[in-house]
Amino acid sequence: MVMRTIGINNCNIQGLAEQCCTTSVWTVDLAYLLQKFNVGFSYFTITLGANPNYSVETFYKEQLPTDLVRVDMLFQKARSAGIKIECGSISGVEISLMILSGNYIAIALVDQYKLSHSWMEDVIVPGFYGSDSGYTGHYIVICGYDADSDEFEIRDPASCRKHEKVTSKCLEEARKSFGTDEDLLLISLEKTEK
């Protein structure tokens, strides 16, 4: 979705998956992939490397022992590969301002369960709608913001809807969930020429 948006049409999902060299894709893998295509981006995270504390989450349990070494190595080599990783959180207000500038879109790591089910808490007694299913990591593209309704326009590859809006509250909860490291790739809409 991002590649097409910035005018890179000479790739498909299978080719991109092959270039990642893993089926356990972390945000740092996406950063290296963007770098291969000379895409201008900023990478924000609150954790430099793989957080071993995530081993308690079912989502990470099977793959994390293998990923720890690989992901930590990618972080260590990032600077020499030309990838700048900023350790810190970026607020929803900052994201909205960047999106509203018209110069950026973003890839965000979210808890898919919280993103897709948080609206239920607004219409049903909190905690009533089943139990917390645990963390499920998922990437979405943030491509618009409506200041009047305080909603972000997103593209969700797991959704059948072409256009989807989520409240800033919902997005923040899903984006800042344990397991996401608040990972965000802020992507320039201009292709970088090297």
Side-chain angles (χ1 to χ4, degrees):
M1 289 186 282
V2 168
M3 298 302 202
R4 278 190 223 113
T5 299
I6 60 175
I8 300 174
N9 298 310
N10 60 340
C11 58
N12 60 38
I13 193 72
Q14 292 80 16
L16 294 172
E18 288 170 13
Q19 289 191 45
C20 274
C21 303
T22 182
T23 55
S24 176
V25 178
W26 288 60
T27 309
V28 71
D29 293 306
L30 297 179
Y32 275 84
L33 192 58
L34 291 169
Q35 184 71 10
K36 285 180 186 178
F37 284 89
N38 297 320
V39 174
F41 66 93
S42 298
Y43 181 179
F44 299 90
T45 183
I46 60 169
T47 306
L48 296 174
N51 186 341
N53 294 329
Y54 294 158
S55 62
V56 300
E57 291 288 340
T58 304
F59 180 81
Y60 285 109
K61 206 170 259 185
E62 186 177 314
Q63 199 64 38
L64 189 62
T66 307
D67 284 348
L68 279 171
V69 173
R70 182 184 71 77
V71 169
D72 285 344
M73 186 65 67
L74 289 173
F75 271 90
Q76 289 171 16
K77 293 181 175 181
R79 186 178 297 271
S80 63
I83 298 170
K84 183 181 177 201
I85 302 172
E86 297 183 40
C87 188
S89 179
I90 183 168
S91 73
V93 171
E94 291 172 296
I95 295 169
S96 67
L97 292 173
M98 297 300 251
I99 299 296
L100 282 172
S101 76
N103 297 319
Y104 300 94
I105 58 175
I107 298 174
L109 177 59
V110 297
D111 182 333
Q112 184 178 24
Y113 180 81
K114 287 185 178 177
L115 184 73
S116 61
H117 290 91
S118 66
W119 64 272
M120 291 300 288
E121 296 294 329
D122 293 335
V123 294
I124 297 177
V125 177
F128 181 77
Y129 184 74
S131 62
D132 184 20
S133 71
Y135 173 78
T136 302
H138 181 63
Y139 291 101
I140 60 165
V141 176
I142 305 169
C143 55
Y145 178 72
D146 182 335
D148 293 333
S149 63
D150 194 24
E151 292 179 319
F152 285 94
E153 185 175 343
I154 65 168
R155 299 294 181 269
D156 182 349
S159 175
C160 58
R161 290 179 269 176
K162 199 168 190 169
H163 302 282
E164 193 166 347
K165 289 190 174 191
V166 296
T167 65
S168 62
K169 178 185 172 194
C170 172
L171 182 61
E172 282 296 286
E173 185 178 323
R175 206 174 64 75
K176 295 190 174 193
S177 178
F178 179 77
T180 66
D181 289 327
E182 300 180 32
D183 284 1
L184 187 90
L185 293 165
L186 189 63
I187 299 159
S188 171
L189 291 177
E190 294 182 15
K191 188 173 182 289
T192 305
E193 296 299 326
K194 288 190 176 179

